[in-house]
Amino acid sequence: MSHLRATSDPEIWKKGPAFGMAGVHVDGMDVLKVREVAKEAIERARRGEGPTLVECETYRFRGHSLADLDELSDPAEKARYAARDPISALKKYMIENKLANEQELKSIEKKIDEILDDAVEYSDETIKGRSWSH
């Protein structure tokens, strides 16, 4: 269901005050903006000012599951958002600002792949050993 049809106010961050907390919206496609908003929310909490409802608006590049082929998404819209891919944008920023080089980033990606492979293997083994009937 479309987010616009699922809620009375699609700007989720505006609901924060109803629950006694600050609400903030951020472009979730911009990793550095998300980091800044998260830092501010953490500082607010540490000052004793309570939690923050942070709405990070992003684009879903794939369907919700393997069964959702995502055939209804507009190809032009996908292309527009693909050009703003947060991971690619952060890599570019890091290289341009000499925070990391291509080889260091490839090494990080390799380590992430290893961690994910281990997590999948662990999950598969855990599920095989369980009985789901009650």
Side-chain angles (χ1 to χ4, degrees), residues 123-132:
S123 296
D124 286 345
E125 293 303 316
T126 301
I127 289 171
K128 286 178 188 171
R130 290 227 171 120
S131 171
W132 297 101

Side-chain angles (χ1 to χ4, degrees), residues 27-122:
D27 176 4
M29 301 293 282
D30 186 327
V31 175
L32 298 177
K33 285 182 183 175
V34 171
R35 180 178 186 263
E36 189 59 37
V37 167
K39 284 173 58 176
E40 291 169 10
I42 291 165
E43 290 170 11
R44 185 179 297 112
R46 287 181 176 157
R47 288 192 306 266
E49 297 172 20
T52 304
L53 173 60
V54 178
E55 180 180 14
C56 301
E57 204 164 338
T58 62
Y59 183 79
R60 181 174 45 84
F61 289 100
R62 295 189 176 127
H64 288 288
S65 68
L66 293 176
D68 181 357
L69 301 177
D70 194 30
E71 295 170 330
L72 301 177
S73 294
D74 175 25
E77 178 184 63
K78 280 185 176 182
R80 275 195 313 277
Y81 279 101
R84 296 187 58 225
D85 179 272
I87 295 172
S88 298
L90 182 61
K91 285 180 186 177
K92 182 179 180 206
Y93 174 87
M94 292 176 76
I95 290 169
E96 286 175 354
N97 288 280
K98 300 185 183 349
L99 300 172
N101 63 43
E102 197 72 48
Q103 187 56 42
E104 290 169 320
L105 294 177
K106 285 185 191 299
S107 175
I108 292 168
E109 286 178 11
K110 183 176 184 234
K111 181 65 177 168
I112 290 169
D113 287 343
E114 290 169 3
I115 291 169
L116 290 174
D117 289 344
D118 289 347
V120 168
E121 183 179 331
Y122 174 80

